[in-house]
Every structure is written in C-alpha cells, then in structure tokens.
Amino acid sequence: MELSLTTLPGLALAAGLAAWWGWRLHRGRAAALAQAVEAELRFRSIFDNAVLGMYQTTEDGHYLAANQALADLYGYATPAALIAGLSDIAGRLYVERGRRDDFKVMIRARQRVVDFESEVYRCDGERIWISENAHAVYGADGRFLYYEGSVEDISERRRHRTQLEHQATHDPVTGLPNRYLLQDRLERAMSGARRRGERLMVAFIDLDNFKFVNDSMGHAVGDRLLVEMARRLQACVRETDTLVRYGGDEFVLIVSSAAVQADPVQVLERVQETVRLPLMLEGRDISIGCSMGVSVYPRDGADLETLLRHADAAMYHAKAAGKGQFRFYEAGLNARAQERLALESALRGTLEHGCGEIEVVYQPKLDAGGGVCGCEALARWHSAEFGKVTPDRFIPLAEETGLIMQLTGHVLRTACEEAARWPARELGVPSVAVNISARHFRRDGQLLTLVSEALRGSGLPPERLQLELTESLFVGDVEETVKILNALKRLGVTLAIDDFGTGYSSLAYLKRFPVDVLKIDRSFVGECEHVGDARAITKAILSLGRSLGLSVVAEGVERPAQAAFLLAHGCDELQGYLYARPLAAAALHDFLAANRRGRRPQTLARPALVALG
C-alpha cells in the first residue's frame, strides 16, 4: 500500500501510544515485583522474629524453614542447626510413635490442625509438651508444596492441667484414686474379665475403730493413720488390682481375675493381717482391724452401683458379726442393709424430736454393806417402727453416726433430774453414773458446758454425778484430755474408767488422769470365780485400785460365787442381775425405798476368805 503524508500522524500516534503502554507495563511490573519483595520481607521478618516457633516442612518430614524461636524451643543454637539436626521429624521429634501420621491424616481430613498437642524431644533429650497449629500450602496448579505452622510450649499448662486432673480423681490425703476414678477402673477390669470369661472381686473395706482414733487423737493423727493404712493395703495387692479411697475410713479394692481364680480368701486374709499390725502414733502402739464385704462380678452384679451396694451390705454383715471379719455377699443382705439405714433414720428422728421413744433406766450399784450407793443410767429405745431395739443394736449405730452426742445429752439431763428426786439414806444419797463417749472430748468445751447445764438445770449436787469414761481416751491427745478432766473435777463430779482392762490404758496414763473409780469389765467378772486368767486379772485390778486409792466397781455380777470372790478381795461396789436388772424410774423408787428400810440382798454379806484366793 502506498503511504501518503496523511497517514504519518496516525503512525506517530500509534507509536507513541505503544511506547506509553510499554512504559506503563514496565512500571507496573516493577511495582508489583517491588510489592512482592516487600511482602516477602515483611513475612520473613514476622517469621524470623515471632515469639512462637514457626516452620515449613515437607510431607516426608524434613524442615524447609524454621525460625529462631523454634530453634530455641527445641534446644538448637540456630534455625540452620535445627534443620540439619532434625532431619526425620516422625522418628526423632515425637515421643509417641505414629504421631506425625496423625498430624498428616488430620490435615488431609480438615485442611488444618488446631491445638495439636504432642510430647516431643528437645535436642538434649528432655521431653516437653507442644501445641501445633498448621495447614497445608498448595501451588497455583493445586500441587502440594509444604506444611506451614506454629509451635507453642505448653509444658507448664499441661503440668497444671495434669495436676488438676489428678486432684479431681485422686484422694488428697492418701494419693489413692478416689470414687470418681473408680467407675473407669472397674469398667476396664470388667471388660477384661468379660473377654476372658473370668471373675472379679470387689471388696468394700472399713477400718474398725478408726473414729475413736480420729475423735480422740485429732484429725491430723487420723490422716497419718489413713496414709499408713493406704500404704499397707497397696503393699498386699498386685499391680493389676486397684485400691481406691472411697471416703472417710472406707476403701474399695478391685481384685483382678487372676487372684480371684487362684485363692480369693487368701487375698482377704492377707489384707486383714497387714492392717492389724501395730502402729506407733503419738508415742503409743495402736492396732486397728478392718471389716470387709465382698461382691463378685458377674455373679453379684454387672455394674459399679450394684457391686458396691452388695459389697457394702456384706461389709455391714461382717461388722455385725463382731468386726475384724470379712463376708461374701449373699441374697438377703440387702434387706439387712436397708433395715440398718431405716434404723438410723428412726433413731435420728426420735433424737431430733424430743427423744420421746428413749427411756432412761437405772441399774443399782450396791456397796459391801448391801446399801444402794449409786445407779448407772442406761438408754432403752422403744421404737414406734421397730419395737424394742436392744442397746447392742442402737448404741454402736449411734457411735458410728455421731448421734451418740445427742443421745448422751438426753440421758445426762434426764438422769440428773431423776437423781435429784431420789430419797436420802442413812449414809447419804445415791449417786448416778452416766456413760460419756470419747467423741465428746473432741468438741472444745462442749462436754463441760453440757455437764454444767445438766447439774444447774436439775439442782443435783455435782458430787452425786459420776461420769463413766471409756479407755479409748488414753489413745487421744492426753494433754487436752487431762485438761478437760481437771475442769470436770473442778465442777465436783467423780470420774470412772469403764470396762477397765479391755482397752488402751497403762499405769503411766492412769496416774495422770484424775479418776476416782475403776470399773472392772463384765468379761472378767463373769469368770472370776474360776481359776484362770479372768480371776488373775480381776485380782490385779482390785489390787491396783487399792494401791492408787481408787474405788473399784464390778459390773455384770450374776452369781453369788462371783460376789463372794469380789468382796473377799476388796471390791467396793457390785452391779449386776444378781441384785437388780435395769429399772424404770418408778420401779427404782420402790427399790430404793425397800433398800432404805433395810431389806437388802443377803448375798452382800462379806464372806470369809477361805479357799477364795
């Protein structure tokens, strides 16, 4: 085509436009490149200077990049040293095998991992816990490039969380698993036994007389006792068994199927023998036993609640048989356990609503001349629901549940009011004796207040009130006990040690306690007329009483020969069915009136000493 001059301006314009667009394009590319470089520098600055560990890794477990924070976290001097030294993440970083595979599976499923917690090795072999947040990076063509993420040291947080979890599932005193962990442990054990077609044994263990130690010696000493009992119990079971502190003085033992198949009785006997070994507490040898109830999976139940309920029922059956024993669950025990709960509820109800069902009766004590010198006040329960409940059923129940405090208060007030009305006799007015539980000595000042108010409210002279104390007081805080006893003595009451010879007393403590009377236990009195240990012990107590200037009372006198032996060896007072059963208040007035008129039991005439030694 032939060019004309008229086309030259158009060509020039086109050329100019092309040049201008070229310049603009070049300038845009340069700006984009500059922006990309700037963004890369910003990212690199953030990456290198982040306080969290940051990384890029290949799929097969090699580091492409790492920052100084990650190098510091893992114990390397530089990121380069980390990249060179940690070439196999799966094999050299994670403590748990397969953890890297878990990481990759989660990313494939969710495109990222969040708070991925793992235990890892540092360069020096120390183990720490980390939390990772990471995602996969892909190219424009959709091809996988690398993993990118951050790492945080959570070792302290993990320790704190583990500590909280341990506190929630373990007993703070003994360190044993608690009842909240029991469900998990039993389910695991039952699952294993079910697969193997074997049995499990669940033993409910209750420490006998622990409450006496805890109440009389204090909670700190009680805790030391629990720690030692936990140690002993753990020492006599296998690693496959589980020991749990269920609460208070109760433990639960899950015995593995292997031990059950071999000899379950041997396991239980070993536990009892280990528990009853003497223990030195506060300078005293203390020996306690345990009662155990046993249920067997799957015979007696297939879940925790049923197995524990049946084991608990068997345990109370063992206690009822005399403590220090074990019993296997059998049909009918649940009914007895329910009856015990109902009995406790009924006793609590009557004590909280005026004690209308509790009668106070009195058993006379006679001196060597045959005169009534005092009476022991005793509680009798006539329940609207259960009828006549014997003391050997409701007194231990009251001790175990703490209801003994209310019961004693009622008996003490009633006895003081009744004794204030008793007629005088030639040599004085009879005194009244009331039993005091060791529990009262753990309630600061309450016993002194209780006695003072009972005396003031009734008008009974304090010298006519005798408080009978159990020998379990000797295992308590002796200094505190002596302080309380001295305060009681300042009130003017007399103090007696009940059931002497069966508990924890020693001559050293007997000299420190401001007591006035020793009361020989009926177990010795019942056999004292026969040659043997009971006679020798009875004679020794009578001799001890004389040497210490104490009066001695014998309870449970039922035969004339017993009375003759006791009087021949200087016993001051006798009490028992030989003279009178416990009497209601009205019947006691008749008995006292007859005694005052001189119609005294002839069995109290002091006999000759011939052939009674």
Side-chain angles (χ1 to χ4, degrees):
M1 181 179 75
E2 185 178 347
L3 296 176
S4 67
L5 291 177
T6 57
T7 63
L8 289 176
L11 291 173
L13 179 61
L17 287 172
W20 182 79
W21 279 112
W23 175 79
R24 288 291 303 271
L25 183 62
H26 174 74
R27 185 177 177 183
R29 286 174 178 171
L33 180 60
Q35 289 175 351
V37 170
E38 185 180 350
E40 174 65 21
L41 289 174
R42 282 200 305 270
F43 173 77
R44 176 56 58 183
S45 177
I46 294 172
F47 186 91
D48 289 339
N49 296 295
V51 295
L52 292 179
M54 301 188 73
Y55 65 83
Q56 293 173 343
T57 64
T58 63
E59 188 172 19
D60 61 357
H62 294 77
Y63 280 99
L64 297 173
N67 68 353
Q68 187 61 47
L70 188 66
D72 293 340
L73 180 60
Y74 289 163
Y76 292 89
T78 64
L82 183 152
I83 294 170
L86 200 53
S87 58
D88 178 12
I89 294 175
R92 298 188 57 189
L93 179 64
Y94 294 104
V95 173
E96 182 183 345
R97 285 186 174 276
R99 195 63 178 153
R100 178 69 174 181
D101 293 332
D102 295 339
F103 174 90
K104 292 192 289 186
V105 167
M106 289 180 67
I107 286 188
R108 279 198 295 270
R110 307 173 189 172
Q111 302 306 308
R112 65 179 58 247
V113 293
V114 178
D115 292 333
F116 185 75
E117 296 186 3
S118 309
E119 191 176 19
V120 300
Y121 293 109
R122 296 182 80 244
C123 179
D124 59 3
E126 180 188 356
R127 291 154 68 153
I128 62 173
W129 280 89
I130 63 168
S131 174
E132 295 181 74
N133 293 283
H135 61 275
V137 177
Y138 297 91
D141 58 358
R143 183 173 54 87
F144 172 82
L145 298 178
Y146 51 81
Y147 297 120
E148 185 175 73
S150 62
V151 178
E152 180 184 4
D153 184 351
I154 61 167
S155 300
E156 188 61 35
R157 185 199 312 167
R158 182 86 182 193
R159 276 193 292 271
H160 183 61
R161 189 170 73 194
T162 301
Q163 182 180 12
L164 290 178
E165 290 173 352
H166 187 275
Q167 289 174 352
T169 57
H170 287 74
D171 172 52
V173 176
T174 63
L176 293 175
N178 62 20
R179 63 171 65 191
Y180 300 109
L181 198 55
L182 177 59
Q183 176 81 45
D184 175 72
R185 296 290 177 87
L186 183 60
E187 285 179 354
R188 292 186 192 182
M190 287 192 301
S191 177
R194 192 162 47 244
R195 286 196 308 272
R196 295 186 296 269
E198 296 176 343
R199 296 176 299 163
L200 285 176
M201 191 165 68
V202 177
F204 206 107
I205 304 171
D206 183 90
L207 300 180
D208 297 329
N209 300 322
F210 170 78
K211 287 183 174 62
F212 284 112
V213 175
N214 200 46
D215 289 343
S216 57
M217 301 185 75
H219 295 300
V221 175
D223 285 350
R224 284 168 49 197
L225 177 59
L226 287 172
V227 170
E228 174 60 19
M229 290 301 110
R231 187 195 66 78
R232 292 183 181 186
L233 288 169
Q234 281 185 302
C236 63
V237 298
R238 308 182 185 196
E239 289 184 2
T240 53
D241 301 332
T242 296
L243 179 65
V244 170
R245 186 187 176 200
Y246 196 70
D249 58 354
E250 296 172 334
F251 297 83
V252 173
L253 175 61
I254 303 173
V255 182
S256 65
S257 54
V260 176
Q261 298 295 116
D263 189 352
V265 172
Q266 186 180 46
V267 175
L268 300 174
E269 289 176 341
R270 185 167 66 246
V271 167
Q272 286 190 318
E273 290 169 3
T274 303
V275 167
R276 72 166 65 101
L277 292 173
L279 169 67
M280 182 66 71
L281 286 174
E282 300 293 298
R284 298 197 60 99
D285 277 330
I286 305 298
S287 180
I288 67 172
C290 67
S291 299
M292 292 187 286
V294 183
S295 61
V296 177
Y297 168 84
R299 184 192 69 191
D300 300 326
D303 59 81
L304 174 65
E305 182 182 355
T306 304
L307 288 169
L308 277 184
R309 186 173 68 251
H310 289 171
D312 187 48
M315 186 271 291
Y316 279 108
H317 183 51
K319 275 189 173 294
K323 298 185 178 181
Q325 303 187 47
F326 60 83
R327 290 288 187 273
F328 284 86
Y329 174 76
E330 53 190 49
L333 290 184
N334 274 338
R336 284 195 281 267
Q338 291 298 322
E339 181 186 6
R340 182 187 180 278
L341 289 174
L343 199 67
E344 177 186 341
S345 177
L347 180 59
R348 189 180 303 276
T350 192
L351 291 174
E352 291 177 352
H353 295 89
C355 303
E357 296 178 353
I358 304 296
E359 179 189 15
V360 179
V361 296
Y362 306 87
Q363 186 170 36
K365 295 185 288 185
L366 282 73
D367 59 24
V372 177
C373 54
C375 295
E376 180 179 2
L378 302 165
R380 294 294 183 264
W381 182 18
H382 305 282
S383 170
E385 181 178 357
F386 295 96
K388 182 179 179 181
V389 184
T390 57
D392 61 348
R393 289 180 66 196
F394 75 86
I395 296 295
L397 180 63
E399 285 280 5
E400 289 178 21
T401 58
L403 296 173
I404 194 68
M405 308 290 287
Q406 295 165 267
L407 181 61
T408 300
H410 171 69
V411 172
L412 179 62
R413 288 187 294 270
T414 304
C416 287
E417 291 169 1
E418 181 62 32
R421 295 191 289 267
W422 290 347
R425 67 186 182 99
E426 183 180 346
L427 299 178
V429 183
S431 63
V432 65
V434 177
N435 290 281
I436 300 296
S437 168
R439 279 180 174 268
H440 286 280
F441 285 79
R442 292 299 304 162
R443 305 294 179 95
D444 297 339
Q446 288 193 17
L447 178 59
L448 196 62
T449 301
L450 180 67
V451 173
S452 299
E453 290 179 350
L455 290 171
R456 185 166 54 250
S458 64
L460 182 71
E463 63 272 13
R464 289 183 53 207
L465 175 62
Q466 183 177 109
L467 303 179
E468 294 191 1
L469 316 169
T470 62
E471 285 187 277
S472 59
L473 285 176
F474 285 97
V475 302
D477 183 343
V478 175
E479 298 300 328
E480 183 63 23
T481 300
V482 169
K483 186 192 306 182
I484 295 173
L485 294 179
N486 282 328
L488 290 170
K489 287 293 293 181
R490 286 193 292 272
L491 285 180
V493 303
T494 61
L495 303 176
I497 297 180
D498 196 15
D499 301 330
F500 186 77
T502 62
Y504 306 94
S505 57
S506 69
L507 292 180
Y509 285 105
L510 191 59
K511 288 177 65 177
R512 294 192 59 191
F513 278 49
V515 297
D516 307 286
V517 178
L518 299 182
K519 198 167 185 182
I520 307 174
D521 184 69
R522 64 178 63 247
S523 63
F524 303 129
V525 173
E527 299 296 327
C528 69
E529 78 267 37
H530 305 302
V531 176
D533 292 342
R535 167 178 281 204
I537 292 172
T538 302
K539 287 176 63 176
I541 294 173
L542 289 166
S543 176
L544 175 65
R546 284 196 303 272
S547 65
L548 294 177
L550 304 175
S551 297
V552 181
V553 180
E555 64 176 330
V557 181
E558 297 183 354
R559 296 185 291 274
Q562 296 167 352
F565 173 83
L566 291 163
L567 290 171
H569 290 86
C571 189
D572 299 287
E573 300 175 14
L574 304 180
Q575 173 185 349
Y577 283 6
L578 180 62
Y579 311 114
R581 291 178 175 272
L583 302 170
L588 178 66
H589 273 272
D590 295 339
F591 185 91
L592 292 176
N595 184 266
R596 189 179 50 185
R597 290 195 297 269
R599 299 210 309 261
R600 299 174 181 175
Q602 296 302 309
T603 51
L604 281 175
R606 188 179 293 274
L609 302 182
V610 179
L612 293 174

